[in-house]
Amino acid sequence: MDNIIKCPLRAALAAGMLASLLAAPVLASSHREAPFIARIPKADATDFYMFRSYEPGREKFVTLIANYLPLQDAYGGPNYFQLDPDALYEIHIDNNGDAKEDISFEFRFTNTVKNAQFAVGDKKVPIPLIINGGPINDVNPAGLNVRETYSVTVARGDRRGGSRAALSNAANGSAVFDKPVDNIGNKAIPDYAGYAGRHIYNVKIPGCETPGRLFVGQRKDSFAVNLGETFDLINYKAPAVEFLPNAEKNARDDLADKNITTIALEVAAACLTAPGSSDPVIGGWTTASLRQGRLLNPVPGNGAGASKEGGAWTQVSRLGMPLVNELVIGLKDKDRFNHSKPAADGQFATYVTNPTLPALVEVLFGNVGAKAPVNFPRNDLVATFLTGVKGLNQPLNVKASEMLRLNTAIAPAPMGAQKRLGVIDGDNAGFPNGRRPGDDVVDIELRVAMGKLCTLNLGCTPADAPAGAIRFTDGAYLDDSFFTAAFPYLKTPLPGSPQN
């Protein structure tokens, strides 16, 4: 991929926008996007955010948010949505542009059954639920029959030769953290926001002088998309050259009633950039891995698990830029992409230079003016997606590869002042300069895929994109008002039982 771009884009922040290569209509950012990952939802990464913290007083920090386990119905008991103790969840940072991780935050989970029992007649009998009727209002409360805990390891450099050290609680030095149980309902957990808030930790991060913050737990799903109609051959109201009032709000958000599981970590920006370097740009992506072998136990119980995992870690999920595997990678290569690393992205180059989804949009809506761009290779997408936009978020030295890139020198926009369309609307603190929860990447990527950058003469010309000026939208609106102004930014999850 390094030699794909034959003519560089003009360095223009106003229009340098965009990104994501993407190609068109949309689904959930990365929910059930490949055949194999659909079989193992606990390892399915759904959204990745990386942005300068906009909570007042935290502007020198970067927030990393990795969401997993999609399409959670709040009432989905009785075991709800625990993360997999046999999986390795990671957030990777590349701070020198070589498409290899320089810092990785590794999360491992442990679920311990407390074996709560009720006296029934003359016997004590283990109860069948994860709650026992006691209060759930603090860390590791007596009312829970399962304790969910996790640890975080910070790995630097090469996995075989780099350093590894545990992240620890700044209050007591412990390397073990409790995860709150999911929002079972208002009777079991009357004040879920307060209960979950007790699981936000100040943490010491190895190699960083400045403490950070950590939270892992269920949140309201942060993505918004008109999901059902997208799958139904992009069954939106036909895009029109003349933009209709309120078009961006005229469809339902099919994730409005779903929760998600969030891994959130706030780290000082100075701890993420390369030591001694003047380059403020970092790249990031998430992965989940499972052991290569699994042996099922025909007689689990009495301390023996249902399976035995072993062998090398094998990556099964990957997420950097939103919507890539859904809308760009061909069906036959979706599992391959999830198992791949950014340094090997050359194998997927054709999906970027000659994307198929704009062609699909033209097939479905060409009669109303939605013509696909005609510039091939799509340098307007390649440069922005694979290298970062020059003058905005391109590293000083860069190997073309797919990941989310953030210029940590660009100040954050406070809540209420953020523009939902990010850079293409003049807000350089937003997508594709990193990604904030309130960035409406669906609408942004629809427009860029159909040639928005060409209308700005960035790597192509207006004549290359007949539909480049159309304000494409899926109709599911999203902006920063859907979130909070403080870490971990994503809202309290919906309760399984809304009754008080």
Side-chain angles (χ1 to χ4, degrees):
M1 280 191 181
D2 293 342
N3 297 319
I4 288 173
I5 304 165
K6 298 176 182 177
C7 54
L9 298 183
R10 283 191 305 140
L13 296 184
M17 33 239 198
L18 194 133
S20 121
L21 81 146
L22 269 313
V26 169
L27 338 174
S29 177
S30 191
H31 300 50
R32 295 175 54 84
E33 80 288 348
F36 184 66
I37 201 63
R39 296 164 53 187
I40 44 175
K42 289 178 181 287
D44 187 356
T46 65
D47 284 285
F48 176 49
Y49 304 93
M50 182 170 67
F51 55 96
R52 281 276 300 272
S53 299
Y54 55 86
E55 178 181 342
R58 305 294 293 186
E59 296 84 358
K60 293 183 179 180
F61 289 81
V62 170
T63 295
L64 308 166
I65 297 176
N67 287 346
Y68 287 90
L69 221 171
L71 304 176
Q72 297 179 15
D73 292 316
Y75 50 80
N79 289 299
Y80 296 92
F81 301 99
Q82 300 167 358
L83 290 178
D84 189 348
D86 292 318
L88 171 65
Y89 301 87
E90 297 179 273
I91 299 174
H92 305 282
I93 300 296
D94 168 22
N95 58 23
N96 59 13
D98 66 355
K100 298 178 182 179
E101 59 267 34
D102 298 293
I103 307 172
S104 293
F105 300 96
E106 305 173 350
F107 293 77
R108 293 293 312 275
F109 291 84
T110 301
N111 302 323
T112 305
V113 176
K114 298 179 181 179
N115 197 28
Q117 302 176 356
F118 282 172
V120 183
D122 61 348
K123 298 183 181 297
K124 287 188 176 181
V125 184
I127 67 173
L129 303 175
I130 65 171
I131 55 175
N132 61 28
I136 302 176
N137 54 14
D138 208 343
V139 175
N140 189 25
L144 283 182
N145 193 24
V146 175
R147 184 183 184 188
E148 298 177 62
T149 60
Y150 63 97
S151 62
V152 186
T153 299
V154 182
R156 297 180 184 273
D158 183 85
R159 285 188 178 280
R160 288 166 291 185
S163 66
R164 297 170 55 82
L167 186 149
S168 61
N169 190 328
N172 57 22
S174 175
V176 177
F177 302 89
D178 277 85
K179 172 184 173 293
V181 72
D182 294 343
N183 196 354
I184 295 168
N186 293 333
K187 182 178 181 180
I189 316 174
D191 178 20
Y192 191 87
Y195 162 67
R198 294 182 180 90
H199 295 79
I200 297 176
Y201 300 98
N202 292 317
V203 293
K204 293 182 178 179
I205 302 172
C208 298
E209 294 183 4
T210 306
R213 288 189 292 184
L214 173 68
F215 172 81
V216 176
Q218 191 180 51
R219 297 282 89 187
K220 165 71 183 67
D221 197 314
S222 50
F223 200 63
V225 63
N226 183 3
L227 192 60
E229 291 179 350
T230 294
F231 283 119
D232 186 23
L233 290 177
I234 319 171
N235 191 17
Y236 307 154
K237 291 180 172 62
V241 175
E242 182 179 354
F243 187 71
L244 301 175
N246 298 316
E248 293 161 335
K249 301 182 180 181
N250 67 8
R252 70 178 184 270
D253 169 18
D254 288 320
L255 299 182
D257 63 348
K258 304 297 183 184
N259 291 328
I260 204 72
T261 300
T262 290
I263 294 174
L265 181 64
E266 187 184 56
V267 185
C271 290
L272 296 176
T273 55
S277 172
S278 61
D279 192 349
V281 176
I282 59 173
W285 69 99
T286 70
T287 61
S289 301
L290 299 175
R291 292 295 188 184
Q292 199 167 43
R294 171 176 292 178
L295 182 66
L296 298 182
N297 184 355
V299 190
N302 294 323
S307 67
K308 180 68 174 179
E309 319 290 323
W313 287 114
T314 302
Q315 181 182 308
V316 296
S317 176
R318 168 187 169 186
L319 180 59
M321 282 285 208
L323 302 167
V324 170
N325 211 355
E326 262 111 342
L327 301 178
V328 180
I329 305 300
L331 185 59
K332 75 179 184 68
D333 285 328
K334 288 184 180 294
D335 288 334
R336 178 184 290 273
F337 181 83
N338 268 344
H339 287 67
S340 70
K341 297 181 181 299
D345 280 346
Q347 63 188 307
F348 306 113
T350 299
Y351 290 125
V352 181
T353 60
N354 298 73
T356 58
L357 282 171
L360 177 60
V361 173
E362 179 174 331
V363 169
L364 297 173
F365 298 116
N367 63 325
V368 293
K371 303 293 186 181
V374 296
N375 54 304
F376 300 109
R378 287 292 303 270
N379 289 332
D380 55 323
L381 302 183
V382 172
T384 329
F385 168 62
L386 297 174
T387 65
V389 178
K390 189 169 175 136
L392 176 68
N393 64 342
Q394 185 180 105
L396 296 178
N397 300 294
V398 60
K399 175 181 173 64
S401 53
E402 186 278 312
M403 64 181 70
L404 198 60
R405 290 181 172 88
L406 173 70
N407 186 338
T408 63
I410 294 178
M415 186 172 177
Q418 297 175 17
K419 295 184 178 180
R420 58 182 288 273
L421 298 179
V423 177
I424 63 172
D425 197 23
D427 182 358
N428 290 335
F431 187 76
N433 181 36
R435 180 187 175 194
R436 303 167 300 198
D439 292 334
D440 195 338
V441 296
V442 172
D443 283 5
I444 296 170
E445 294 184 352
L446 277 170
R447 298 176 195 191
V448 171
M450 296 306 292
K452 175 66 175 177
L453 301 187
C454 296
T455 69
L456 303 163
N457 292 297
L458 294 174
C460 45
T461 69
D464 292 325
I470 295 178
R471 294 163 66 182
F472 288 93
T473 180
D474 73 326
Y477 191 81
L478 183 71
D479 67 11
D480 62 355
S481 68
F482 285 57
F483 304 95
T484 71
F487 182 85
Y489 297 99
L490 309 191
K491 283 191 172 181
T492 299
L494 303 171
S497 168
Q499 299 183 94
N500 293 320

